[in-house]
Amino acid sequence: MDQAESVRTPSSWAVVGLDNGGTCNNATVLDATGQFLVDHLVENPSRVLDGPESAVEALADAFTGILELTRTPRSLIRAVGLDTPGPASANGVISSKGATNFNHVSWHGFDIRGALEARLGLPVVYNNDGNAAALYAHHQHFGAAAAANSSVSAIVGTGLGGGVVEAGAVVRGAAGMAGELGHVQIPLHGVLEDDQPVPRCNCGFEGDVESVASLTGIKNNLLPYWLTRFPEHPLASEPISAAAKALRGYAEKDDAMALAVFGQQAKAIGKLFTIAANFTDPAAYFLGGGVVEAAPHFRQWFLNTVRESTSLRDEQKAVATFALVPDRDMAGSRGAAVAALNAVIAG
C-alpha cells in the first residue's frame, strides 16, 4: 500500500470504496461529511486471474490496508462500495458467460458482491466500473446540487463503459444493464469514410459505439483501415495490438493518421451524446478513460471534437456542460464510495 503524508480519522462514521480491476484494486475512504480521507491512488494486486477465492481475499486486504493507512477504526465503517468491470447483474453476479477480467469458468455466475459481504461482515453496495466513474463525475461536478441534476458519461477503455445518472443516482434498469452505452448502435454517416467497412463489435453488433470508440475498436476496425491510407506510417510494421496501444502517443504529437482515428472516436461519442440529448436531456456530458490520461492539449482537442459532434438544440446548448471525468484512476473507487454513502443515508 502507498503511504499517506497526512490523514485524519473521521469524527463520526465512514464508508470504504473498492475499485476492482484486472491487475489492481484501488481503495479509498469517504466520511459522513463527504470528505475523502485519501488524495492519491492506493493499490494492491487484484489477483482476479487466480480465481474468485483469491480475488475476494485481495479485496479484503485492500479494505484492511486502507483502514490502516487512514487510521480509521473498523467500527466506524457502515458499508463498502464495490465496483468491477462487467457484464454483471445489478447485484454483482458476474455474467454466466464470464467477462473480460473474469474469463475462467470459476467466475461464471459468481456473486462477487455477496462473497465480499460475507468475508467482511459489512453491507456491500455494487456498481459496474463505468457506473461508478459516472456517479463520481456527477457528484464531483454538481456537489450539493447532485440530486437535482442528471448526466451521461462515456468511459473509453478496452471497451466503452459509462453510465446514466438521474437525480443523483445511477439508472440501473430492470436487469441491471442500463447504461451499457458501448452497445448503443449509432448512425455512422459523418463518422466513417465512404470506403470504410462498417465496424463490428465483439458483442456481435455492427456499428455500435464500442466498435469505434474503444481500444478494441481501434485494433479490430479503425487502425487496419487507416493503415491502408498511411502505408508508410511507422506503426505499419508493428503487430496490430502493439500499434493500437501506441497510437495515442502519436496523436499527442499531432500525427495525421492518429488524429484521424481519434477523430472518428470523438465523432462516434458525439453521436451517442446526441441520442442521450433526445432521450434523457442531461445537464452534463462527461468523458473519461484513456483519453483523459493523455496530454492536456490532446484531451482538450478530443473533448472539443465530441462537443462539436453532439447535436443539441439551442435550449440544450444554453444549459448543458461537457467535461472530463475528474481524478482519473481514482474515479472508480470514489464512485463506489459515493454509492455506499448514499445507500447508508437512504437507509
Side-chain angles (χ1 to χ4, degrees), residues 246-259:
L247 193 67
R248 190 180 70 193
Y250 281 86
E252 291 175 328
K253 299 174 184 177
D254 296 327
D255 176 81
M257 184 186 76
L259 291 179

Side-chain angles (χ1 to χ4, degrees), residues 190-213:
V191 176
L192 302 183
E193 298 291 297
D194 291 340
D195 62 341
Q196 191 169 358
V198 173
R200 186 174 181 85
C201 183
N202 283 347
C203 76
F205 283 173
E206 289 187 340
D208 65 10
V209 188
E210 186 172 301
S211 69
V212 179

Side-chain angles (χ1 to χ4, degrees), residues 16 29 48 123 194 203 248 250 287 292 321:
V16 168
V29 179
V48 294
D194 291 340
C203 76
R248 190 180 70 193
Y250 281 86
L287 179 67
V292 176
T321 297

Side-chain angles (χ1 to χ4, degrees), residues 165-196:
V165 177
E166 184 66 39
V170 170
V171 176
R172 296 178 178 274
M177 295 181 180
E180 290 289 348
L181 303 182
H183 304 300
V184 173
Q185 290 170 298
I186 56 172
L188 296 173
H189 177 72
V191 176
L192 302 183
E193 298 291 297
D194 291 340
D195 62 341
Q196 191 169 358

Side-chain angles (χ1 to χ4, degrees), residues 250-342:
Y250 281 86
E252 291 175 328
K253 299 174 184 177
D254 296 327
D255 176 81
M257 184 186 76
L259 291 179
V261 171
F262 284 104
Q264 289 190 317
Q265 290 201 330
K267 291 174 184 177
I269 295 171
K271 297 283 189 181
L272 171 68
F273 284 169
T274 300
I275 292 171
N278 288 284
F279 198 76
T280 67
D281 189 23
Y285 302 84
F286 296 116
L287 179 67
V291 292
V292 176
E293 308 297 326
H297 76 278
F298 170 73
R299 66 183 185 231
Q300 190 60 51
W301 169 82
F302 194 93
L303 181 63
N304 290 345
T305 306
V306 169
R307 183 191 291 112
E308 292 162 5
S309 303
T310 303
S311 298
L312 300 179
R313 295 176 175 85
D314 289 342
E315 296 88 343
Q316 294 172 314
K317 290 178 182 178
V319 296
T321 297
F322 286 77
L324 299 171
V325 174
D327 297 322
R328 304 177 187 181
D329 287 344
M330 293 189 293
S333 63
R334 289 189 164 196
V338 169
L341 185 73
N342 289 347

Side-chain angles (χ1 to χ4, degrees), residues 66-261:
I66 200 66
L67 295 188
E68 292 175 351
L69 180 66
T70 57
R71 299 197 294 271
T72 303
R74 193 181 191 281
S75 59
L76 296 185
I77 302 302
R78 297 275 187 91
V80 175
L82 170 68
D83 78 75
T84 76
S89 74
N91 292 321
V93 177
I94 304 301
S95 168
S96 60
K97 295 183 178 179
T100 301
N101 288 351
F102 309 110
N103 54 10
H104 190 275
V105 67
S106 60
W107 278 110
H108 296 189
F110 182 76
D111 181 2
I112 189 170
R113 186 208 64 81
L116 183 62
E117 186 168 273
R119 172 65 179 80
L120 298 180
L122 287 164
V124 174
V125 179
Y126 178 81
N127 282 283
N128 71 43
D129 53 358
N131 282 349
L135 185 64
Y136 176 63
H138 182 93
H139 280 261
Q140 185 71 5
H141 181 81
F142 289 111
N149 283 284
S150 60
S151 65
V152 171
S153 298
I155 314 296
V156 186
T158 303
L160 187 130
V164 178
V165 177
E166 184 66 39
V170 170
V171 176
R172 296 178 178 274
M177 295 181 180
E180 290 289 348
L181 303 182
H183 304 300
V184 173
Q185 290 170 298
I186 56 172
L188 296 173
H189 177 72
V191 176
L192 302 183
E193 298 291 297
D194 291 340
D195 62 341
Q196 191 169 358
V198 173
R200 186 174 181 85
C201 183
N202 283 347
C203 76
F205 283 173
E206 289 187 340
D208 65 10
V209 188
E210 186 172 301
S211 69
V212 179
S214 66
L215 179 61
T216 304
I218 290 177
K219 181 183 71 172
N220 292 348
N221 302 308
L222 304 190
L223 192 53
Y225 168 78
W226 282 102
L227 284 172
T228 67
R229 301 282 293 269
F230 291 83
E232 303 302 319
H233 195 280
L235 291 179
S237 61
E238 297 288 333
I240 194 68
S241 293
K245 291 179 180 179
L247 193 67
R248 190 180 70 193
Y250 281 86
E252 291 175 328
K253 299 174 184 177
D254 296 327
D255 176 81
M257 184 186 76
L259 291 179
V261 171

